[in-house]
Amino acid sequence: MNYRTRAAEPAEEDVSLKAVEASDLSVVYGDGDNAVHAVKGVTFTVGDGEAFGIVGESGSGKSTVLRVLAGLNRDWTGRLLIRGREAEKRRPRRSYRVVQMVFQDPYGSLHPRQTVQRILMEGLAVQEMDDRRRRIQRVLYDVGLGGEFLYRYPHQLSGGQRQRVAIARGLILEPRL
């Protein structure tokens, strides 16, 4: 593959393309004596279509790595390629259609004063995606929830239902990762 092809937007059918290539990824919180190396020199590759697990004890940096991949942590060093493109620390809005993250605690990540419909509509509006009502209905169906959940608030849902809404929010933009 020549340089021009790699620098351009990757073609959907390019199966040789890696979903993620991280090398020497490091994240440090704090300065000097107060510095904490949350992630130090992590390197891994995930092929397109592969499932990849990050395993470690509590506090070992798993979530920090995922926050870097999702563009939620801008303070990192190393090299990160997502779908063959160099990941910028300050990501353009369109990049959030490529990578989405579902947090472990759905209650903490869902706005308590927004309905399920509003929660799901937000990403679609920011990304200026069309056919929003159909997309919301489809993603609710995909996660096993029906239209009766549209006007409910997070506190009106069970823990499992909240997790499904959080997953739906991650899926609704049809991300590659």
Side-chain angles (χ1 to χ4, degrees):
M1 189 176 283
N2 66 34
Y3 178 77
R4 235 182 255 287
T5 304
R6 290 288 290 201
E9 187 67 44
E12 281 300 310
E13 58 276 353
D14 186 358
V15 292
S16 67
L17 193 62
K18 299 296 183 201
V20 177
E21 295 178 73
S23 59
D24 202 26
L25 188 66
S26 295
V27 178
V28 177
Y29 296 117
D31 300 315
D33 293 338
N34 296 324
V36 174
H37 291 267
V39 175
K40 190 173 186 179
V42 171
T43 298
F44 63 93
T45 301
V46 182
D48 198 32
E50 286 183 346
F52 185 83
I54 300 175
V55 180
E57 32 183 88
S58 186
S60 64
K62 301 177 303 287
S63 294
T64 300
V65 168
L66 295 176
R67 291 179 62 81
V68 169
L69 287 175
L72 301 175
N73 184 333
R74 297 179 185 157
D75 194 18
W76 53 274
T77 59
R79 185 160 191 235
L80 180 61
L81 297 173
I82 298 176
R83 304 233 352 106
R85 300 186 77 174
E86 194 81 34
E88 301 171 38
K89 293 188 180 181
R90 188 168 198 61
R91 308 266 172 93
R93 182 172 41 179
R94 72 180 181 280
S95 73
Y96 295 102
R97 287 194 59 186
V98 176
V99 180
Q100 281 288 299
M101 182 171 176
V102 177
F103 293 92
Q104 185 173 346
D105 176 16
Y107 197 72
S109 69
L110 300 177
H111 195 295
R113 294 190 179 171
Q114 290 185 356
T115 63
V116 168
Q117 180 180 28
R118 176 86 187 250
I119 289 167
L120 297 177
M121 187 70 75
E122 184 176 23
L124 296 172
V126 168
Q127 294 296 328
E128 300 175 350
M129 295 176 77
D130 61 356
D131 208 8
R132 296 174 188 170
R133 291 189 191 282
R134 183 192 58 77
R135 288 177 189 272
I136 290 172
Q137 289 173 343
R138 189 192 73 232
V139 77
L140 283 177
Y141 174 80
D142 288 347
V143 299
L145 299 175
E148 66 270 18
F149 290 90
L150 283 173
Y151 304 106
R152 293 190 188 173
Y153 291 87
H155 72 273
Q156 296 173 313
L157 305 173
S158 71
Q161 291 167 336
R162 286 193 295 264
Q163 189 66 51
R164 289 172 188 224
V165 171
I167 292 168
R169 183 180 55 188
L171 293 175
I172 201 159
L173 299 180
E174 301 172 0
R176 296 289 302 169
L177 300 172

